[in-house]
Structure formats: structure tokens, C-alpha cells
Amino acid sequence: MPDRPRRPRLRRALLAALVTFAVAVPVSGAARPAAVPAPAPTAHGPLRDASPAALEERYAVSRRDIRAAGRMAAGHGDLKRAASLRAMAAPGRQFLAFDGRDGGRSTEVVGELATARRIAVLVPGAGVGLDAYWRLRRDARALHRELGEAAAVVAWLGYRSPATVSPAALTTGRADAAAPGLRALADGLRAVRPAVRISLLCHSYGSVICARSAPGTAADALVLYGSPGVGAPNAASLRTGARVWAGRSDGDWIARVPHVRVRVPFVATVGFGGDPVADGFGAEVFDAGDGGHSDYLRPGSRSLTNLARIAAGAEPLGASRD
């Protein structure tokens, strides 16, 4: 019997096991963050003015909203959330938007948006929320240091990130809901800074969101890294004028996730299809080094160097395929 037909069956079996695991493992910890109460934030409206004075006013309003959410979290007895929010409300932090409800949403700027010549938007994957926000902040600061003072990094936690091990992390539902917000952010940045270079740097499940927001995006570059797939068969089907890049580090466990889509009766379509770093996908593949799934923005890494070069409009160093 030839071996060839076994691969599709094996991949489907692996995916089925992954689905079973995600459903069977208790996810009470994933539900907890959404249960922390928070007040309704101040309504900002779209970003229409990127002058230093207008931005500082917006940052100050968001800071007050974060502090109010922190007080409510403390009153609720969630000291971890309260501590995270106190750090987020520190002087000098710059949030374009914040909403502490339903797990939390935020958009933070590292650098000077009013004068930046390049803007990189970080779109995080699963397992990121207000309680672990420091990780996203750390990555944004690392990227900003690599890019230099002529750039601004926008850390976009604009959706309820699914738990890493959960049914939501295996379907496009959260990404479908998040995509309009990411598209609106890119459009707003383009409107207030029309000559600036805008790059969307999309990690893991965040790459699914970026793919959903890709048609007609105002971004110049779409960078998919550590991706489980994007819910599309190839780069052309993203229908974007942005330059599409993809990278995966040698030590990333996501390479072992089957790149298939399977319809699970009465549930959803599970999985994200084609591998963005595969030859047939059609993205430009860059060298992402040898780190793990959470190491792409680690200082000194090849992946950080190349992500920054792409965001700056330069060609990445080396090649993942020689």
C-alpha cells in the first residue's frame, strides 16, 4: 500500500486530537479575566488629529479610564488585575484607547506618533490580556529600540484574546470580530499621517486577524510570523496591496500544528489552512532565527532584527531558504 495517502489522514487525526484536547482541558482560567468588572470608558471617537497637544489630551483621558478600572478591579478583589492596571496608568504611558470590560481592550503607543516616519502595529496572538499585558509592552519596547526614535510602535490589544489552549484559539471567530477594529486603526493612522510607512506585525493568532483585515488595508506591509495559518489558501486570496511577508523560527512549536481546515459538525470550521511560510502560499519568507514561539521580539535575535528591517522598509537579512 503506498504511503502517500497516510499524510492527510495523519494531519486530520492530529487536528482532531488538538480539538479534543482544547475542549477537554478546563478553561476556567480563560473565562476569569472577562469576569473582572470595569467602568465604561470615555468615548474617544476615531483618531483625527495626531498633533502633540491632541495626542496628549487623548492619552490623559485614557490614563484616567485605566485608573478608574484599576480601582474597580481592586474593589472586586482582583489584585493581579489592579496591579497590572496601575502599571499601565503610570506617567508617560500613551494609550490611544482603553476599555477594561470583557477581558480588556487597549491601544498603546511607544514612541512619538506625531513625528514618527514609520509606524509598526503589533498584533498579538492568543494568551495576551490585561493581566499579562507587560509581555506585549516588553515586546513593543524591544521593537521600538530596534527601530529607533524615528519610529512609533503601536501595541494593539483590540480584541478579546483567546486562551492559548481553547476552542476559540482554533477558529476564526475572534479574528472575524476583531478585524474591523484593526482595519479602522490602520485607516486612522493613514488619515492623520498620510506619508508615514505603516506595517502590521502579526504574531500567531494575530496573523489570522491581520488576514481578515487585509483587503483594502492602508498598511504598506503585512508580516505574518509564528502563524498557525491565516484562514486563506494563499497570499493572493488576501486581496491586499500590502507586501506580504511570513516567517517562522526553527524552534517554534507552531510548525507541528497541522495546516488544515476541518468542518466539525455543530461546532465550527476548525484550523486555519495553508502554511504562510510554504512555497505555494506566495508570501515573501524572511529568516526568523531559531527561537521559540514567544521569542520573535527577543532583543538580539535575528527575528527582531528582520521584523524591524521590514517595518523600516528595508530588506531582511539572510534567508530562511537557501
Side-chain angles (χ1 to χ4, degrees), residues 256-274:
R256 298 190 292 274
V257 173
H259 288 93
V260 295
R261 301 194 77 193
V262 177
R263 176 68 186 175
V264 178
F266 312 111
V267 181
T269 298
V270 177
F272 304 108

Side-chain angles (χ1 to χ4, degrees), residues 5 161 213 239 315:
S161 172
S213 73
R239 295 183 288 117
E315 292 298 306

Side-chain angles (χ1 to χ4, degrees), residues 219-298:
D220 299 288
L222 187 67
V223 191
L224 316 169
Y225 58 102
S227 175
V230 296
N234 51 52
S237 65
L238 299 179
R239 295 183 288 117
T240 181
R243 193 173 178 183
V244 180
W245 292 90
R248 184 171 62 225
S249 63
D250 292 340
D252 192 342
W253 58 261
I254 205 80
R256 298 190 292 274
V257 173
H259 288 93
V260 295
R261 301 194 77 193
V262 177
R263 176 68 186 175
V264 178
F266 312 111
V267 181
T269 298
V270 177
F272 304 108
D275 185 352
V277 302
D279 290 332
F281 189 83
E284 298 185 64
V285 178
F286 67 94
D287 182 359
D290 58 2
H293 187 64
S294 300
D295 297 334
Y296 286 91
L297 294 168
R298 188 183 72 241

Side-chain angles (χ1 to χ4, degrees), residues 4 55 69 81 84 92 94 104-105 107 109 112 148 151 161 165 188 199-200 202 229 231 262 264 272 282 285 290-291:
R4 197 172 173 185
L55 288 172
R81 173 67 60 84
S84 180
Q94 303 178 144
R105 314 283 191 277
T107 305
V109 177
E112 298 303 324
S161 172
V165 180
S199 302
L200 303 183
C202 319
V262 177
V264 178
F272 304 108
V285 178
D290 58 2

